[in-house]
Amino acid sequence: MMMSYSGTELSERFPSNEIPARAQRVFKCELTRYQSWRRRILDLQFLASGEVVDSDPIVALQRLARLEISDWAVNPFYLLRKTLPDGINPGQIDRDLAIQINARLSGGDRMYFRSACRVLDRLQGSTLAKSTGLLPDETIGPLPRAKDHRANAPMPERLEQEYQDAPASVRMALAFVYRVAVLCELCEASVNISPKELLTEQTLKALRGIEPAELGFDRPSKKTLEDYLNRLIRHFSIPDFGRSQYAETAEAKAWSEFRRELSNRDMTSLKSRIETVSKLAISHGLAPHELTPAWFARTCISLEGYIFAHFRTGAFAIDALFEHEDFPRELLPEQPSGFVKHMPAHREKDKSAAVAKPARRADPVLRRWASFFEKLRQVGFTENELNMLSAVRAVSVNRGIPPRTVDRDFLIELLDTVPTRQRARVHGAARAMDRAAGFIELATYRPEELVGPLPDGRSSFEELPAGLSTELGQLVARIGYGDSTKRSVKAAAKALFRSSAANGLSSTPSVAELLSCDFGNLASSSKTQAQAPRYERTLIALRDFIDLPWTEAWRELYAAAKDAGCSPGRNPVPCLMKYAGDRSPEQLNVHWVQSVERKLRRPNELSVHGRADLAKTFLANVQRLEDLRSQPGFRGGPLLSEPRLLPR
C-alpha cells in the first residue's frame, strides 16, 4: 500500500488528529494506536523514497529530526511556528533573520528557538536531510547570548581594531560600553568611530547616569559600568569630562605614578596602605617627593580614630621603601616620616599633671550587679551565659533595677523594646536566671519565681481553635504528610486564620470554611506578607485534596497506596479521581483510561492544541497504580475489578 502513494498523498489520506472512516474498522476509537501505525508507515515511506511525506514543513522537520538525531530533537520545533514571522518557513531562516528573532524573544520561547536552530545546524550533516530541501541554505551558527555584547552590537572597523589590540579587561569594558551607547542612541551603529570619538564629553556624562538594570541587564551593575568607563579612560588616555578635574592635577599624577611603580614591583600590600596618606597629601597639594617629617607630624595631630591609624600605617609603608635600594629615589620624600612604632607623645596623657579627683561613690545597683556576676563566675557560669545577662544588666542599671527584681514581666517588656538582633540575648538571660535558681549561694540575687521560656517572636500567631486544630491534624495524617510539611501546613493555617479573623471568619471554623477564605488576606497582613506565596501554595494543595469527590472506596484505595509506601506527591489516587467523575475504583478499565488519554491529547477546553503533558502524567499515575497492584500485600487490589488498566 505504501508504494502506491507518493509524496504527501498518504499523510493527507490518513490525517494525524482523527481516525478516518476507512481505518475505524481496524483501529476503532484507539487514536493512540492509530497514530503509532501512521507514524511508522510514513517513516518507512520517507526512508524508502527520500521524499517529504508531510505537507507541513515543521512536521516534516520533526520527523527528520527524530529519525536522524533522536526523539528529543522533536521538541524545539513545537514553538517554532509561533516564533517565525508570517509566511516564513524554517528553510528560509538565515543567520541575520535568526539573530533578529532571537533578540526579540525571551524566556522559554527564546530557549526553544535557539535549540531549534541548533537542531537545524546539526541536520546539515545529514545527506538525507539536505536532499529534502527543508533546511536553510547555510548553517545558522551559534546565536548571541544576552551578555554577548559584540554579537548584539557589532563594533565598527576602527573600534574593532582597537578591541583586538587591547588587553582582556579593556575588551570587556569596550564591548559593553559600546552596546549601551548604541541602545541609548548616544552613537549610531553605522558610523565608523574611534574610542575617543565614542567617549566624548557628552557621551561620558550620559553613560555615568545610566542604570544598566533599566536596559534589561542583570549584570554588570552601575558600579561596574563606572569601573568600565574608568578603565577605558586610562587605557585610551581620554580626558575624564564626566568627573572632577581633581584627578588631572600634577600631585594626583605623581601619586598615580608612585602607585604604578608599586604595582610593577608586586608591592600591592604597600599600595593599599598608602591610600590615606596619598589622599591627604593631594588635598594639601603635595606629591610623594614633597612630603616632610614636619608635614607628617602636623597632619597627624588633626586626625582621630581609624583615620589616624591608617595615616600612621601609610607613613610606615613609605618609610619601608627607603630600605629598597633599587626603588627610584626621585619618587620618595627626602627623609622618612619620623614616626616610631608606638603611640606618639601627643597621644600620651601627662599623668604627672593629672589632678587628683575625689573618689566617687559607686552606684549601689551597679555594685549589686557586679557582685552577682562575680558569684556567677564562682559557681561555673560560662562567659557566653554572662554575655547574655550583660544585655539585661545594661538596661537594668540605667533603670536602677537590681538583679533580684528582674522577673518575667520585666524581660517580656524588654523583648518588645530591644532590636531584633538582641532578642536572643534576652532569651539567654532568662535561661541563665532560671539556672541560677539551682544554687543556694545565689538565692539573694535571683528573682523569687522562675522566669520560664519567653514568648518566641517567630511564632507570634495565636493557636488555632481546638476543633479546627484537631480536624486539621486528622486531615494531614490522612494525607500522609511528613513532619516538616505538617509544620508548614499548621503555620499556613494559623496565618490564614489570623488574617481572616477580621473579615468575618467564625471563631470556630471547620477546615473547609477556613480554606474557603480569600487567600489574598495573607498578603494584606504585615506579619504574613513575606511568606504569603508559600502559605498560599500549601493551602491550595490542601484545598484541592479536600475538593476531590471522595467516597469510601476511594479513601480505602488512597490509604492502601499510602500504607504501601507512596508519599502524597506520588500517590496515584488523586490524579485518577480528577478524571474518574462518578466512577468508583471497581469501574475503572482499559477503555476508560484510553478515552481519558485521547480527550487530553485532542483539542479541549484546556488548550486548542491538546495537553499531551497532562496525558503523560495521567498514564504515569495509572502505571504507578499497576505497579502497586503487583506488590505482595497491597490491600487495595480487591477494590479494582479489572485485571489490567493499561493495554498490553
Side-chain angles (χ1 to χ4, degrees):
M1 179 182 70
M2 178 188 72
M3 298 310 295
S4 63
Y5 295 94
S6 62
T8 62
E9 292 179 8
L10 184 61
S11 64
E12 293 170 355
R13 188 175 178 83
F14 293 94
S16 64
N17 57 349
E18 62 179 352
I19 304 175
R22 64 178 63 87
Q24 289 182 0
R25 183 176 61 84
V26 177
F27 298 104
K28 298 182 174 58
C29 296
E30 299 180 52
L31 180 63
T32 303
R33 182 166 163 242
Y34 162 74
Q35 289 174 335
S36 177
W37 168 83
R38 180 182 183 276
R39 180 174 64 250
R40 292 179 183 179
I41 205 72
L42 290 176
D43 286 351
L44 290 172
Q45 180 192 358
F46 176 52
L47 293 172
S49 66
E51 297 179 351
V52 176
V53 297
D54 299 285
S55 55
D56 187 333
I58 291 183
V59 175
L61 275 173
Q62 288 179 308
R63 185 180 307 281
L64 188 57
R66 176 169 50 78
L67 293 173
E68 291 293 284
I69 301 177
S70 181
D71 289 344
W72 66 263
V74 172
N75 298 331
F77 292 101
Y78 283 118
L79 288 177
L80 187 61
R81 194 187 316 276
K82 185 177 76 171
T83 56
L84 288 179
D86 293 339
I88 298 295
N89 290 326
Q92 299 172 282
I93 301 176
D94 57 17
R95 180 162 180 79
D96 291 339
L97 178 60
I99 290 176
Q100 292 176 17
I101 297 174
N102 180 69
R104 64 178 171 81
L105 297 178
S106 62
D109 290 351
R110 183 173 187 171
M111 178 186 70
Y112 277 108
F113 176 74
R114 294 169 66 90
S115 182
C117 290
R118 287 194 294 269
V119 172
L120 289 174
D121 284 353
R122 187 168 172 180
L123 288 173
Q124 293 283 2
S126 166
T127 304
L128 175 62
K130 298 198 74 169
S131 67
T132 61
L134 295 170
L135 302 180
D137 294 336
E138 297 180 357
T139 300
I140 297 171
L143 295 177
R145 295 174 296 173
K147 62 181 180 180
D148 191 350
H149 306 305
R150 288 180 64 215
N152 285 284
M155 288 185 280
E157 182 180 352
R158 294 167 69 187
L159 272 185
E160 180 65 28
Q161 184 60 48
E162 294 285 358
Y163 175 89
Q164 297 296 339
D165 296 340
S169 60
V170 176
R171 289 184 183 184
M172 185 185 307
L174 184 59
F176 182 69
V177 168
Y178 179 71
R179 184 179 180 188
V180 170
V182 171
L183 284 174
C184 297
E185 300 181 353
L186 300 176
C187 66
E188 296 184 15
S190 59
V191 178
N192 189 11
I193 58 175
S194 67
K196 291 189 176 181
E197 293 170 337
L198 169 65
L199 301 173
T200 61
E201 178 178 0
Q202 293 80 7
T203 305
L204 275 173
K205 288 180 179 179
L207 288 170
R208 291 192 192 280
I210 289 173
E211 177 61 60
E214 295 177 358
L215 300 177
F217 296 108
D218 294 331
R219 54 185 181 181
S221 64
K222 184 173 183 178
K223 183 179 182 303
T224 305
L225 174 58
E226 178 75 20
D227 292 341
Y228 282 174
L229 292 173
N230 294 337
R231 200 177 296 172
L232 297 177
I233 287 167
R234 288 194 299 270
H235 181 77
F236 294 113
S237 301
I238 297 172
D240 191 355
F241 301 104
R243 302 178 68 186
S244 170
Q245 296 305 305
Y246 167 79
E248 295 298 314
T249 63
E251 296 80 17
K253 290 181 178 179
W255 279 102
S256 296
E257 184 181 353
F258 190 87
R259 286 190 292 270
R260 192 178 303 113
E261 183 66 27
L262 292 175
S263 298
N264 294 338
R265 294 171 176 270
D266 293 330
M267 296 179 176
T268 52
S269 62
L270 292 180
K271 179 181 174 182
S272 61
R273 287 159 60 188
I274 67 167
E275 182 177 358
T276 300
V277 174
S278 66
K279 287 183 178 179
L280 291 170
I282 293 174
S283 67
H284 293 163
L286 298 175
H289 65 277
E290 296 174 326
L291 303 182
T292 63
W295 178 81
F296 277 107
R298 186 171 58 252
T299 304
C300 186
I301 293 174
S302 62
L303 303 179
E304 294 182 355
Y306 72 92
I307 300 293
F308 169 79
H310 289 176
F311 181 77
R312 282 175 55 82
T313 300
F316 290 136
I318 294 174
D319 290 348
L321 295 174
F322 283 89
E323 299 177 7
H324 295 267
E325 296 181 357
D326 59 338
F327 195 88
R329 293 297 168 181
E330 64 273 12
L331 296 179
L332 293 174
E334 294 183 1
Q335 303 175 47
S337 66
F339 288 159
V340 291
K341 293 193 175 182
H342 59 72
M343 286 298 291
H346 74 275
R347 288 278 165 178
E348 297 178 353
K349 294 184 178 179
D350 187 358
K351 296 181 180 179
S352 61
V355 178
K357 295 183 180 180
R360 187 174 60 180
R361 187 175 181 181
D363 184 347
V365 174
L366 181 59
R367 282 192 288 114
R368 191 61 177 169
W369 274 101
S371 176
F372 181 39
F373 269 57
E374 185 61 32
K375 291 286 186 181
L376 291 173
R377 290 190 179 94
Q378 291 174 5
V379 297
F381 274 62
T382 65
E383 287 300 321
N384 183 56
E385 290 173 308
L386 297 178
N387 179 49
M388 299 292 182
L389 278 167
S390 64
V392 177
R393 177 181 63 179
V395 178
S396 300
V397 170
N398 286 337
R399 297 185 185 181
I401 299 174
R404 189 169 179 77
T405 56
V406 175
D407 56 9
R408 179 179 178 83
D409 292 338
F410 173 78
L411 292 176
I412 291 176
E413 178 191 350
L414 187 59
L415 270 180
D416 295 333
T417 58
V418 298
T420 304
R421 62 181 180 276
Q422 296 290 343
R423 294 176 63 87
R425 297 180 69 188
V426 178
H427 283 279
R431 292 191 294 270
M433 281 293 192
D434 285 350
R435 185 185 167 204
F439 298 91
I440 297 176
E441 52 267 56
L442 299 176
T444 58
Y445 294 95
R446 62 174 179 79
E448 294 181 0
E449 297 181 1
L450 293 177
V451 175
L454 300 179
D456 188 350
R458 296 171 301 174
S459 55
S460 58
F461 299 135
E462 56 268 23
E463 289 297 324
L464 295 173
L468 177 60
S469 180
T470 301
E471 185 184 357
L472 187 65
Q474 294 171 348
L475 176 61
V476 297
R478 180 156 61 90
I479 296 174
Y481 284 149
D483 291 340
S484 177
T485 308
K486 286 180 181 178
R487 289 193 295 269
S488 298
V489 169
K490 188 174 182 181
K494 283 183 177 181
L496 183 60
F497 177 76
R498 182 182 185 279
S499 59
S500 301
N503 295 317
L505 179 66
S506 167
S507 60
T508 57
S510 64
V511 171
E513 290 172 341
L514 178 65
L515 295 179
S516 66
C517 294
D518 182 7
F519 293 161
N521 295 334
L522 293 168
S524 63
S525 171
S526 59
K527 278 186 170 291
T528 59
Q529 190 172 18
Q531 299 296 331
R534 183 168 63 88
Y535 288 159
E536 186 171 348
R537 289 194 298 270
T538 301
L539 295 170
I540 287 174
L542 203 65
R543 185 178 63 189
D544 290 346
F545 183 87
I546 292 176
D547 289 345
L548 289 171
W550 291 102
T551 63
E552 190 60 34
W554 281 112
R555 288 193 183 93
E556 290 183 23
L557 186 60
Y558 182 90
K562 183 186 72 172
D563 294 343
C566 275
S567 64
R570 294 188 61 81
N571 196 313
V573 174
C575 179
L576 301 186
M577 288 181 65
K578 286 170 60 177
Y579 305 104
D582 296 332
R583 289 182 176 84
S584 65
E586 64 180 6
Q587 294 174 310
L588 305 186
N589 52 44
V590 174
H591 177 72
W592 171 74
V593 171
Q594 291 176 331
S595 65
V596 172
E597 181 198 7
R598 286 196 296 270
K599 182 178 179 181
L600 291 173
R601 291 185 182 276
R602 290 175 176 173
N604 52 56
E605 64 275 8
L606 299 175
S607 172
V608 295
H609 304 291
R611 291 296 301 271
D613 56 332
L614 294 182
K616 290 181 179 179
T617 301
F618 170 73
L619 291 177
N621 279 281
V622 175
Q623 183 62 56
R624 285 176 190 161
L625 184 58
E626 295 287 74
D627 294 341
L628 285 172
R629 297 173 70 183
S630 66
Q631 294 181 12
F634 177 65
R635 60 184 178 85
L639 298 171
L640 302 166
S641 59
E642 293 290 326
R644 288 185 60 83
L645 296 181
L646 289 174
R648 295 184 181 277

